[in-house]
Amino acid sequence: MGAVSEEQKQAENRARPTTEEFRAFVKDGWAPRRPTVTAPAPASTYAAARRARLSAAYPGERLVIPAGGLKVRTNDTDYVFRPHTAFAYLTGLGADREPDAVLVLEPLEGGGHEAILYFRPLAERDSDEFFADTRYGEFWVGARPTIEDIELELGVTGAHIDQFADAAAKDAGALTIRLVRDADRDLTRTLDAARVANGAVEEGLEEADDALAHALSHARMVKDEFEIEALQEAVDATEIGFEAVIADLPAALAASRGERWVEGVFGLHARHQGNGVGYDSICASGDHANTLHWIKNTGDIHEGDLLLLDAGVEVDALYTADVTRTLPVSGTFTQAQREIYDAVYAAQEAGIAAVRPGAKFSDIHAAAIRVIAERLHAWGLLPEGVTVEDTLDTEHGQYHRRWMVHGTSHHLGLDVHDCALATREEYMDAVLEPGMVLTVEPGLYFKADDLLAPERFRGIGVRIEDDIVVTADGCRNLSAGMPRTAAAVEAWIAAVQAR
Ligand code: GLY
Ligand code: MN
Ligand code: MN
């Protein structure tokens, strides 16, 4: 028997007596199981097409894509499970499925691959796992799928996870095996050793694996129909969350730590509408808006302030929205707030106008940042004698970055910052294609203690962020349902609060 871990020891001090009599009694007298899956998942055909493309790119190779495992949060309590993005993309599984599972694309003799999902199928009711296993048992976490369920749901071959280790490493000397390494560290360590023990050459293993991870990240850049639909659902759910926050602004203002109130209201709807938030919500009021990733959300919200809310619902299929609105919490912008807001809006309009097939990804930032630079110049904030062209100079300028240090766009999908392993040529320098989904999110941030900012601007931060899909002849704003101009935002707040 293996060593007893600290967490098991702690669980033992609360163990109940398990008698033979109880063991026999608990396993018997249950109605026949009803199947948990009755039809293929809508994502399954799209996932099959994604696997087919991968299969064509790696003929004769074995590809191993783990979901990852449960992670301990505190002693015997795990975080909610979220599968690795590459696994979700290639299986179509979302939400909290399927801890410890591994997708293997096994090369076939005549070409192509068989997709095999190794996973921990539902244990029979005459097993101890059924009632005794707090991490996986049906009594504790509910029924998991059977092999038949998975085969029907996903259109792959199902297999027990116990068969994975031998199957994954066999013939390692004779064929290339590539593994997505960052999904499951324990599995990576074990499979590395097994590959070498079965004849693989150690040098170059990691490099070959990294090439697969890169290919899988880049493969997600152009979204299919299912993905665009899922992103639209995520955005629509996000709109519900934003409107709930607006409706409850009076309560957030009345409460201490109003930012947390906002986080909670958005989180309620994110969890209700979808799987949860796609990233920690930034609920930043007043000067906190100038901290780009303000996720502590510990601040009070005061009358007259702006609330920068950057939040997105992740749907069950794991696609996430990423939207920012900067809201005057008392219903109307002050003159200084509006001046800044209008500048950011103009920059965003310029950025969105640059989104079309054939343009470069970097054109979006170039268009938006030019407007930012022009406004900063017109306000007299750039150093003496520095022109707009001077500051836009990438070798010797960039003064404007003091007030907008971040980029304008990123790809959006299963990850909020999607396709992160694509190269610069494939990302920043790439030509936009229909089906790409990206954010356009300029901002201006004047910290309360920024002595170079006009006093009336100090403590004001504004960002406007929308989710845009490239179409055949331009682009479509998935988040167009959420008003953006200063006047429309004021009218939106009034209308939502009057409901
Ligand atoms: N919420 C992070 C971002 O906008 O990229
Ligand atoms: Mn955002
Ligand atoms: Mn973003």
Side-chain angles (χ1 to χ4, degrees), residues 279 282 293 310 322 324 410 416-417 441 463 465:
Y279 55 93
I282 298 167
H293 288 168
D310 181 343
D322 179 11
T324 307
H410 57 80
V416 63
H417 298 153
E441 50 173 310
R463 177 164 64 254
E465 175 172 26

Side-chain angles (χ1 to χ4, degrees), residues 168-300:
K170 74 170 189 287
D171 307 326
L175 86 173
T176 300
I177 302 170
R178 293 185 203 252
L179 163 69
V180 172
R181 302 183 69 80
D182 64 339
D184 189 326
R185 276 165 205 218
D186 292 343
L187 184 151
T188 296
R189 212 172 302 121
T190 311
L191 188 56
D192 276 354
R195 281 191 282 185
V196 173
N198 282 267
V201 183
E202 197 166 354
E203 286 76 49
L205 271 190
E206 267 195 63
E207 230 178 318
D209 289 349
D210 290 348
L212 173 64
H214 159 257
L216 282 168
S217 192
H218 185 223
R220 302 201 309 272
M221 207 162 244
V222 174
K223 271 62 183 174
D224 60 36
E225 187 189 16
F226 178 90
E227 296 183 286
I228 292 172
E229 184 61 32
L231 284 161
Q232 183 68 68
E233 281 169 24
V235 168
D236 293 346
T238 297
E239 184 174 333
I240 291 171
F242 270 73
E243 293 201 342
V245 166
I246 291 171
D248 220 25
L249 275 176
L253 278 151
S256 60
R257 298 218 295 179
E259 292 177 344
R260 285 285 171 94
W261 190 276
V262 167
E263 180 184 331
V265 170
F266 189 84
L268 160 66
H269 293 277
R271 194 73 184 136
H272 182 236
Q273 296 288 319
N275 191 47
V277 291
Y279 55 93
D280 289 320
S281 301
I282 298 167
C283 309
S285 71
D287 194 41
H288 288 159
N290 298 313
T291 301
L292 298 175
H293 288 168
W294 176 257
I295 55 169
K296 293 184 200 288
N297 303 337
T298 47
D300 297 341

Side-chain angles (χ1 to χ4, degrees), residues 42-381:
S44 63
T45 50
Y46 295 93
R50 298 168 199 159
R51 290 193 301 270
R53 285 194 290 276
L54 190 65
S55 167
Y58 292 95
E61 300 191 7
R62 181 179 301 140
L63 309 176
V64 181
I65 303 106
L70 292 163
K71 288 191 183 60
V72 172
R73 181 172 183 274
T74 71
N75 63 68
D76 60 353
T77 307
D78 296 320
Y79 285 103
V80 172
F81 180 71
R82 202 255 194 213
H84 190 277
T85 292
F87 177 88
Y89 184 69
L90 293 172
T91 60
L93 286 172
D96 57 351
R97 299 179 64 196
E98 205 38 72
D100 303 330
V102 189
L103 175 70
V104 174
L105 295 195
E106 183 66 24
L108 295 169
E109 287 272 333
H113 288 78
E114 179 183 16
I116 307 171
L117 191 77
Y118 294 91
F119 73 111
R120 189 187 292 270
L122 180 62
E124 293 301 328
R125 280 146 169 184
D126 61 2
S127 67
D128 277 12
E129 179 183 309
F130 171 53
F131 69 89
D133 189 324
T134 58
R135 214 172 193 189
Y136 297 104
E138 184 176 344
F139 252 66
W140 297 85
V141 295
R144 290 194 319 278
T146 62
I147 288 186
E148 295 72 34
D149 287 336
I150 280 288
E151 292 189 336
L152 174 59
E153 184 179 17
L154 303 181
V156 300
T157 303
H160 197 290
I161 190 66
D162 289 350
Q163 295 167 7
F164 166 75
D166 288 343
K170 74 170 189 287
D171 307 326
L175 86 173
T176 300
I177 302 170
R178 293 185 203 252
L179 163 69
V180 172
R181 302 183 69 80
D182 64 339
D184 189 326
R185 276 165 205 218
D186 292 343
L187 184 151
T188 296
R189 212 172 302 121
T190 311
L191 188 56
D192 276 354
R195 281 191 282 185
V196 173
N198 282 267
V201 183
E202 197 166 354
E203 286 76 49
L205 271 190
E206 267 195 63
E207 230 178 318
D209 289 349
D210 290 348
L212 173 64
H214 159 257
L216 282 168
S217 192
H218 185 223
R220 302 201 309 272
M221 207 162 244
V222 174
K223 271 62 183 174
D224 60 36
E225 187 189 16
F226 178 90
E227 296 183 286
I228 292 172
E229 184 61 32
L231 284 161
Q232 183 68 68
E233 281 169 24
V235 168
D236 293 346
T238 297
E239 184 174 333
I240 291 171
F242 270 73
E243 293 201 342
V245 166
I246 291 171
D248 220 25
L249 275 176
L253 278 151
S256 60
R257 298 218 295 179
E259 292 177 344
R260 285 285 171 94
W261 190 276
V262 167
E263 180 184 331
V265 170
F266 189 84
L268 160 66
H269 293 277
R271 194 73 184 136
H272 182 236
Q273 296 288 319
N275 191 47
V277 291
Y279 55 93
D280 289 320
S281 301
I282 298 167
C283 309
S285 71
D287 194 41
H288 288 159
N290 298 313
T291 301
L292 298 175
H293 288 168
W294 176 257
I295 55 169
K296 293 184 200 288
N297 303 337
T298 47
D300 297 341
I301 304 180
H302 301 292
E303 289 288 355
D305 274 352
L306 296 179
L307 171 70
L308 185 159
L309 176 58
D310 181 343
V313 174
E314 175 186 272
V315 292
D316 288 344
L318 300 177
Y319 291 83
T320 187
D322 179 11
V323 174
T324 307
R325 289 293 179 268
T326 306
L327 307 163
V329 300
S330 306
T332 50
F333 291 96
T334 65
Q335 205 181 327
Q337 289 167 352
R338 187 163 180 154
E339 220 178 317
I340 298 166
Y341 190 94
D342 287 347
V344 174
Y345 175 75
Q348 200 203 20
E349 281 288 277
I352 293 172
V355 182
R356 59 175 174 276
K360 281 168 78 174
F361 180 87
S362 56
D363 291 343
I364 308 168
H365 179 70
I369 205 69
R370 174 169 288 278
V371 175
I372 294 288
E374 284 167 358
R375 297 292 170 120
L376 290 167
H377 183 261
W379 284 322
L381 301 190

Side-chain angles (χ1 to χ4, degrees), residues 457-471:
F457 283 3
R458 291 183 199 163
I460 300 175
V462 173
R463 177 164 64 254
I464 315 173
E465 175 172 26
D466 283 79
D467 301 340
I468 313 285
V469 56
V470 183
T471 59

